C-alpha cells in the first residue's frame, strides 16, 4: 500500500491511519539519531499504513525502540498488539491504568462490542491482539524516555480519560496530546486559526480534571500540539482558552438536557447546533452539509460521554 503521511519539522511524521476516513486519526513517528518511536497506532486495521511508512522512509523495524500510547481507546491503541509483532526490539509504554488491558484485552473488546456491536468492531476496528507482559512498560507522571539522546517526558493528563498520558518532546517544545488538547480538523482552519473542541468520549470524562490538566500543560509553554485528530497545530493560550470554553459549553448542554425525555438525542442535537454555531463564528465557509458530515463521527460518542458523566454526577 502507498501510505499517506505529512513530514513535519524535528523529524516527526504524522501518519494518516485512514481509520474511517482520511485526515481523521493520526499516528506519529519520531526519528532521532538512528532510533525511532511510534506515538499511538490507530486501530488494528491501521498497522499496514504504519509499516508501509517505515518502508517508504527506509527505516528498519529493528530501529524502532518503542510504541508510546497516549491512552487505550482503540482509535489510538487498538493496533499496538499487531504492530509490536513486527518490531522485534520495541516495548510498549502506557499509563498504569491501561497496562492490564493491553496484556489481556478481553474486557476492552467486550466493552467496545457492547457499545458499538460486533459488526462495527470487525469492520472498522478489526481485532485486538494481546501484548506479552514483558513487552509492556508502565509510564508514570514525570518518567522520561531517551530516544537516541532525545528526551521524551510522560505527563499524567486525566480529563478525557483517567488512563491518559501526554508526551512532552523537549526538542520540538511540543506535546503529543492524544485527545487531551482537543480535536481540530484541518477542514475548519480559517484566518482566525484553528477550531478546537473537546472529545467527551465515554466513560471517564471529567471536566474539572480536564481543565486542570490543560492549565498544567500550559505551564510548559508549548509551541506545538501533535493531535491524534488531526495533525500538528500551533498551541497557544488562545488555543487553551478555546478548549476550556468548549469543555464548559459541552457541560452546560449536558446539564440543561439532564431531565429531558430521550436525553441522548437531545444532547446530540444540541451539540450539533453548538458546533455549527462556533464554526460559523470562526469563519468556516464549508456548506453546512459538509460540516455535519465532518462532525458526525464525534456527535454520537461525545453525547454518550456526557450522558455517562451526568449519570455519575447525579
Amino acid at each position: 500500500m502507498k501510505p499517506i503521511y505529512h513530514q513535519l519539522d524535528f523529524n516527526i511524521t504524522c501518519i494518516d491511519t485512514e481509520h474511517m476516513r482520511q485526515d481523521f486519526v493520526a499516528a506519529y513517528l519520531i526519528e532521532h539519531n538512528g532510533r525511532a518511536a511510534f506515538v499511538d497506532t490507530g486501530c488494528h486495521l491501521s498497522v499496514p499504513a504504519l509499516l508501509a511508512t517505515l518502508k517508504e522512509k527506509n527505516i528498519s523495524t529493528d530501529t524502532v525502540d518503542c510504541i508510546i500510547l497516549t491512552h487505550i481507546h482503540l482509535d489510538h491503541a487498538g493496533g499496538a498488539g499487531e504492530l509490536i509483532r513486527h518490531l522485534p526490539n520495541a516495548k510498549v509504554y502506557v499509563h498504569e491504568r491501561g497496562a492490564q488491558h493491553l496484556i489481556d484485552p478481553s474486557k476492552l473488546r467486550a466493552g467496545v462490542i457492547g457499545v458499538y456491536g460486533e459488526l462495527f468492531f470487525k469492520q472498522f476496528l478489526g481485532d485486538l491482539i494481546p501484548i506479552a507482559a514483558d513487552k509492556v512498560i508502565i509510564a508514570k507522571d514525570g518518567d522520561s524516555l531517551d530516544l537516541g539522546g532525545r528526551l521524551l517526558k510522560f505527563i499524567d493528563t486525566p480529563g478525557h480519560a483517567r488512563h491518559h498520558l501526554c508526551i512532552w518532546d523537549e526538542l520540538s517544545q511540543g506535546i503529543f496530546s492524544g485527545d487531551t488538547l482537543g480535536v481540530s480538523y484541518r477542514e475548519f482552519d480559517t484566518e482566525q486559526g484553528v477550531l478546537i473542541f473537546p472529545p467527551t468520549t465515554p466513560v471517564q470524562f471529567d471536566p474539572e480534571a480536564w481543565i486542570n490538566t490543560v492549565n498544567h500543560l500550559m505551564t510548559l509553554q508549548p509551541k506545538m500540539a501533535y493531535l491524534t485528530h488531526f495533525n500538528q497545530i500551533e498551541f497557544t493560550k488562545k488555543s487553551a482558552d478555546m478548549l476550556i470554553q468548549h469543555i464548559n459549553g459541552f457541560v452546560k448542554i449536558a446539564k440543561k438536557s439532564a431531565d429531558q425525555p430521550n436525553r441522548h438525542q437531545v444532547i446530540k442535537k444540541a451539540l450539533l447546533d453548538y458546533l455549527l454555531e462556533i464554526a460559523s463564528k470562526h469563519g468556516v465557509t464549508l456548506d453546512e452539509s459538509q460540516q455535519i458530515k465532518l462532525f458526525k463521527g464525534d456527535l454520537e460518542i461525545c453525547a454518550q460521554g456526557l450522558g455517562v458523566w451526568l449519570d455519575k454526577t447525579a
Side-chain angles (χ1 to χ4, degrees):
M1 68 177 296
K2 181 75 172 174
I4 300 171
Y5 61 83
H6 308 272
Q7 190 60 53
L8 311 176
D9 292 337
F10 303 104
N11 288 325
I12 297 169
T13 306
C14 172
I15 304 169
D16 191 333
T17 67
E18 300 182 65
H19 173 63
M20 307 293 283
R21 64 176 179 88
Q22 290 183 7
D23 298 339
F24 182 49
V25 179
Y28 290 91
L29 177 67
I30 310 172
E31 304 166 68
H32 196 75
N33 288 339
R35 309 311 300 172
F38 284 104
V39 180
D40 284 345
T41 65
C43 68
H44 181 272
L45 299 176
S46 307
V47 172
L50 307 188
L51 296 174
T53 301
L54 291 179
K55 187 174 181 181
E56 183 98 353
K57 293 169 69 66
N58 295 313
I59 298 172
S60 169
T61 55
D62 294 346
T63 66
V64 180
D65 291 338
C66 50
I67 301 167
I68 302 169
L69 300 176
T70 59
H71 59 304
I72 60 168
H73 291 162
L74 297 197
D75 54 334
H76 297 256
E82 173 62 20
L83 180 60
I84 201 165
R85 293 167 63 180
H86 302 270
L87 307 176
N89 298 321
K91 303 281 189 180
V92 180
Y93 289 76
V94 67
H95 194 286
E96 60 186 339
R97 292 179 180 271
Q100 190 56 41
H101 293 291
L102 300 182
I103 297 164
D104 177 8
S106 57
K107 287 184 179 178
L108 200 56
R109 179 197 299 266
V112 172
I113 290 174
V115 172
Y116 298 108
E118 191 156 356
L119 181 62
F120 178 93
F121 178 84
K122 289 181 178 178
Q123 185 173 355
F124 294 109
L125 298 170
D127 203 354
L128 269 176
I129 307 297
I131 301 173
D134 63 356
K135 289 281 190 178
V136 177
I137 297 178
I138 290 173
K140 294 188 176 181
D141 184 61
D143 287 354
S144 58
L145 173 66
D146 185 323
L147 182 70
R150 182 174 185 158
L151 184 67
L152 302 173
K153 183 179 178 182
F154 297 103
I155 307 167
D156 190 12
T157 50
H160 172 75
R162 290 197 296 271
H163 50 83
H164 202 298
L165 293 165
C166 285
I167 299 90
W168 169 251
D169 175 28
E170 193 172 69
L171 183 62
S172 68
Q173 298 286 287
I175 298 172
F176 292 89
S177 60
D179 284 340
T180 290
L181 294 182
V183 166
S184 180
Y185 299 130
R186 304 285 54 80
E187 294 93 337
F188 292 100
D189 292 351
T190 70
E191 291 181 355
Q192 295 183 43
V194 300
L195 181 69
I196 302 170
F197 64 91
T200 56
T201 311
V203 293
Q204 296 175 351
F205 169 59
D206 182 337
E208 183 178 354
W210 200 337
I211 290 168
N212 289 339
T213 286
V214 174
N215 288 328
H216 173 60
L217 290 175
M218 291 310 294
T219 65
L220 294 169
Q221 297 183 304
K223 294 180 179 177
M224 296 292 175
Y226 300 102
L227 308 179
T228 301
H229 312 286
F230 178 82
N231 210 338
Q232 167 192 280
I233 62 170
E234 288 187 40
F235 204 85
T236 63
K237 184 179 185 302
K238 178 183 174 183
S239 312
D241 289 346
M242 181 188 298
L243 177 57
I244 290 169
Q245 175 189 342
H246 297 326
I247 290 171
N248 288 327
F250 278 29
V251 165
K252 186 176 179 180
I253 286 170
K255 287 180 175 179
K256 188 175 180 180
S257 309
D259 298 321
Q260 294 290 318
N262 201 11
R263 183 185 72 185
H264 176 74
Q265 292 303 324
V266 171
I267 292 175
K268 192 172 169 182
K269 173 65 166 59
L271 284 178
L272 177 57
D273 291 343
Y274 182 93
L275 290 169
L276 291 173
E277 181 181 0
I278 65 172
S280 176
K281 289 179 178 178
H282 193 68
V284 174
T285 57
L286 288 173
D287 289 342
E288 186 173 292
S289 61
Q290 291 177 284
Q291 294 183 46
I292 292 171
K293 187 176 181 181
L294 291 167
F295 285 135
K296 185 178 178 181
D298 299 288
L299 289 171
E300 178 67 28
I301 58 173
C302 285
Q304 285 183 17
L306 291 171
V308 172
W309 174 74
L310 282 172
D311 291 339
K312 286 181 175 179
T313 55

